[in-house]
């Protein structure tokens, strides 16, 4: 948690082990990297050949289990707010392989 202390009450982006992209304000974290997001949304980015627009699904207050967290990063809010996420397309992130 010490390394995430500077992220508290700031907008973060989390990539999970099952390739989900979650964005919200980090309100709590513990030593197991369990994270609590406020005003969370899940960004579902469609493949380039998918005619459907990408979407942001509102989640509200959301708990992310630490064993499912791959990465956590601060969001540049000005840049993030300038992007129309419905127009963003991208390739799927590969899954996690346990060996």
């Amino acid at each position: 948690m010490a390394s995430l202390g500077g992220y508290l009450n700031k907008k973060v982006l989390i990539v999970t082990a099952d390739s989900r992209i979650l964005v919200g304000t980090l309100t709590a974290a513990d030593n197991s990297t369990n994270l609590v997001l406020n005003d969370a949304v899940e960004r579902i980015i469609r493949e380039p050949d998918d005619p459907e627009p990408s979407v942001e699904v509102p989640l509200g207050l959301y708990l992310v289990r630490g064993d499912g967290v791959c990465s956590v990063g601060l969001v540049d809010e000005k840049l993030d707010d300038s992007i129309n996420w419905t127009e963003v397309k991208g390739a799927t992130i590969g899954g996690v392989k346990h060996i």
Side-chain angles (χ1 to χ4, degrees):
M1 173 26 204
S3 62
L4 291 176
Y7 290 19
L8 288 175
N9 301 311
K10 294 183 180 161
K11 190 172 183 180
V12 297
L13 183 142
I14 299 169
V15 178
T16 65
D18 60 354
S19 302
R20 294 173 67 204
I21 300 171
L22 307 170
V23 180
T25 303
L26 183 65
T27 57
D30 66 13
N31 289 335
S32 297
T33 320
N34 294 308
L35 308 173
V36 178
L37 296 178
N38 195 26
D39 299 322
V41 295
E42 178 178 2
R43 290 188 179 149
I44 301 173
I45 308 299
R46 306 283 186 199
E47 297 275 339
D49 58 351
D50 188 336
E52 293 292 317
S54 295
V55 294
E56 286 189 312
V57 179
L59 303 172
L61 185 64
Y62 201 75
L63 171 66
V64 184
R65 284 179 44 130
D67 61 356
V69 174
C70 283
S71 67
V72 180
L74 286 175
V75 171
D76 179 331
E77 292 191 52
K78 185 176 177 185
L79 176 62
D80 191 65
D81 291 342
S82 73
I83 297 170
N84 180 351
W85 289 102
T86 63
E87 296 178 355
V88 173
K89 299 286 185 170
T92 304
I93 299 172
V96 174
K97 185 181 222 180
H98 298 281
I99 50 175

